[in-house]
Amino acid sequence: MKERIERLKKLTYIPQNDIAWLIEQAELSVKQREIIEENKRQQEITVHQFRQTQEEIRHLSGESRRHKKALEKIITNLNFAIQVAQNELDGAAE
C-alpha cells in the first residue's frame, strides 16, 4: 500500500488536487487498518486476562472453601478439647 502511495505521489498527469485527495484517503485507510489491528490485539489481551482472572477466582474460591472447612474442624476439635478440660476441672473440683 505504501509503495502505491509513493508511486501516486510521483505521477504528474493526475491533477494535484485529485492526487492529494487519493493520497490522503490511502494514508487514512492505512492508519485505520493499523488502529483496527491494534484494537483487535488489545481485545485479545483483555479476553486472555479476563479468562486468567476467572480461573484465579475459581481457584481462590475453592481454596477459601477448603480453608473454611479446615478452620471449622479445628474449631470443633478445640471446642471438644475445651469441653473435656472443663469436665476434668469439674471432676477434680468435686
Side-chain angles (χ1 to χ4, degrees):
M1 185 67 156
K2 290 183 181 183
E3 296 85 23
R4 285 183 174 175
I5 293 170
E6 291 305 316
R7 194 173 71 220
L8 281 173
K9 285 179 181 179
K10 294 176 184 175
L11 294 176
T12 56
Y13 58 91
I14 298 176
Q16 277 308 82
N17 288 344
D18 291 343
I19 190 103
W21 183 84
L22 286 172
I23 291 169
E24 184 180 306
Q25 294 304 307
E27 289 172 343
L28 181 60
S29 176
V30 169
K31 288 178 184 175
Q32 287 174 338
R33 189 175 322 131
E34 289 171 353
I35 290 169
I36 289 169
E37 289 173 4
E38 178 61 20
N39 286 343
K40 284 181 181 179
R41 190 180 74 74
Q42 289 295 329
Q43 185 179 23
E44 289 171 359
I45 290 169
T46 302
V47 167
H48 179 70
Q49 289 174 338
F50 178 76
R51 288 183 179 149
Q52 283 181 323
T53 302
Q54 279 184 319
E55 185 60 35
E56 185 66 18
I57 288 170
R58 280 193 285 276
H59 172 74
L60 292 173
S61 294
E63 199 171 282
S64 176
R65 282 190 294 275
R66 286 189 298 278
H67 288 138
K68 183 178 178 183
K69 287 180 182 180
L71 285 172
E72 287 172 350
K73 286 182 181 180
I74 290 170
I75 290 169
T76 300
N77 290 338
L78 286 173
N79 283 335
F80 179 74
I82 290 169
Q83 188 61 46
V84 168
Q86 186 66 44
N87 289 343
E88 287 179 8
L89 286 173
D90 289 345
E94 291 176 5

